[in-house]
Amino acid sequence: MFALMVAALIAATMTTGLMAGVFGLYQHTVMAGLAGTDDRTFIGAFQALDRAIINPWFMFSFGGALLFTAVAAFLNPSPWVFAALGLYLVVFVITVAVNVPLNDALKAAGPPDSLADPAAVRAAFNEARWTAWNLVRTLATTTAFGFLCWALVARGKLG
């Protein structure tokens, strides 16, 4: 049972850390880099990134962070793990309720070369809203990752 508890906590920590990296990279690099591009370039690049990110590696990390943290919370009744689970649950809801619908709407606009008014499509995407909520996801996953790291330290001290 001890090995399963530790394995769940390690898996939760690793997948949450990966997601903190993904959201953080989008926050300080991807969106910052795209911000200075023209409308057609922004739309095309974002559409390509959104299509590319839906892959087994991302889906395993995104879903695994929630699943493994829930299992770790069940097996390791620690306030640090419960706090991490709560934070990641918020991230999951934000992603599904805010970021994914914005992504889907931008993809539904069609290829950037065929758009009559790419500026209107980009404005409808609402870059500022997407980025603001991504900052919340970045901060929440990074904090959850820190909490899970601390839970591992505490677990190690308890033996």
Side-chain angles (χ1 to χ4, degrees), residues 6-120:
V6 172
L9 190 52
I10 289 171
T13 305
M14 291 175 67
T15 52
T16 301
L18 286 169
M19 290 313 303
V22 167
F23 296 137
L25 190 62
Y26 263 84
Q27 192 66 30
H28 63 70
T29 304
V30 173
M31 295 307 285
L34 290 177
T37 63
D38 65 84
D39 298 330
R40 285 190 201 282
T41 300
F42 176 89
I43 293 165
F46 195 94
Q47 287 174 339
L49 286 164
D50 193 54
R51 282 189 302 272
I53 202 166
I54 305 304
N55 65 66
W57 292 103
F58 174 81
M59 297 310 287
F60 176 80
S61 297
F62 180 67
L66 182 61
L67 176 66
F68 293 136
T69 306
V71 171
F74 178 76
L75 296 174
N76 299 281
S78 154
W80 301 108
V81 179
F82 284 119
L85 178 59
L87 285 169
Y88 196 78
L89 190 57
V90 167
V91 168
F92 195 89
V93 169
I94 289 169
T95 301
V96 171
V98 178
N99 296 90
V100 168
L102 292 172
N103 298 0
D104 289 347
L106 190 64
K107 282 191 294 194
D113 291 341
S114 69
L115 299 175
D117 189 357

